[in-house]
Amino acid sequence: YGSLLIAFIGLILLVIFYRLLQGYKKVLSTNTYKNQLMLFKALAIQLIDAVIFIVVPFIIVGFCASSRYRYSSYETLAAIFSICFHGIVDIMALIYFIKPYRQFVMKMVKNIFNEIRTHMGVMGTLVINTRVADAEGRYPPYSKLYLRNLLILLH
């Protein structure tokens, strides 16, 4: 029951924070209020994430431990396994709901893809230089499909 109590207290605090934020709407500048609202949404999602991926699995584990249900070990294992996803889901929620984080991550992803594309061009050039000759020492001609794919890769 402690997990439910923690979730309930978190929900009450979330409502209190929201009412406080609404009260400060007239005092804060528009930009500051938008940023505070963005952070509040991220906090709310983190609370929901914690309830779904931590509190509910603990309740399931507690129920399975207290009951003599035949397949409780499988359900307990699934509940503990779902707890492992809390960190991943929490980070993804932060990246999605907090705009500066999202912009930074998107910039990093673009840089990584640009690096990969740069190296793919170098690898495509290596393919041209490493043709294998047949038994008589002749190199087979390139097919049109091979050249077209190579040009797409280098582009």
Side-chain angles (χ1 to χ4, degrees):
Y1 294 110
S3 300
L4 284 175
L5 181 65
I6 291 171
F8 185 70
I9 290 171
L11 183 65
I12 290 173
L13 288 174
L14 206 59
V15 170
I16 291 171
F17 288 155
Y18 183 73
R19 289 193 178 179
L20 284 172
L21 188 61
Q22 291 297 319
Y24 284 115
K25 186 175 183 177
K26 296 175 184 172
V27 178
L28 299 174
S29 68
T30 306
N31 199 19
T32 303
Y33 179 74
K34 283 182 182 179
N35 287 335
Q36 290 296 322
L37 193 60
M38 174 184 61
L39 293 173
F40 176 77
K41 287 178 186 176
L43 180 66
I45 294 300
Q46 283 183 298
L47 180 65
I48 292 168
D49 169 41
V51 168
I52 291 172
F53 287 100
I54 295 177
V55 174
V56 171
F58 273 126
I59 292 171
I60 292 171
V61 169
F63 174 75
C64 290
S66 65
S67 70
R68 301 218 179 245
Y69 181 58
R70 182 176 179 179
Y71 299 108
S72 64
S73 62
Y74 297 117
E75 292 170 355
T76 303
L77 184 64
I80 291 172
F81 182 70
S82 70
I83 291 172
C84 296
F85 284 106
H86 166 69
I88 295 168
V89 172
D90 196 40
I91 289 170
M92 297 302 281
L94 284 176
I95 290 171
Y96 181 77
F97 284 99
I98 299 179
K99 189 176 180 179
Y101 292 173
R102 185 174 60 236
Q103 290 171 340
F104 177 76
V105 169
M106 292 305 291
K107 183 178 175 184
M108 279 183 26
V109 168
K110 285 180 184 177
N111 288 341
I112 289 170
F113 279 122
N114 285 337
E115 283 291 321
I116 289 172
R117 195 168 60 190
T118 301
H119 292 297
M120 289 288 284
V122 171
M123 287 173 25
T125 308
L126 291 175
V127 169
I128 293 173
N129 296 330
T130 57
R131 285 192 304 165
V132 178
D134 60 6
E136 298 173 0
R138 292 181 302 202
Y139 289 95
Y142 292 116
S143 68
K144 290 180 182 178
L145 180 63
Y146 177 79
L147 290 174
R148 189 184 63 122
N149 289 341
L150 186 60
L151 288 174
I152 289 171
L153 180 68
L154 293 175
H155 182 51

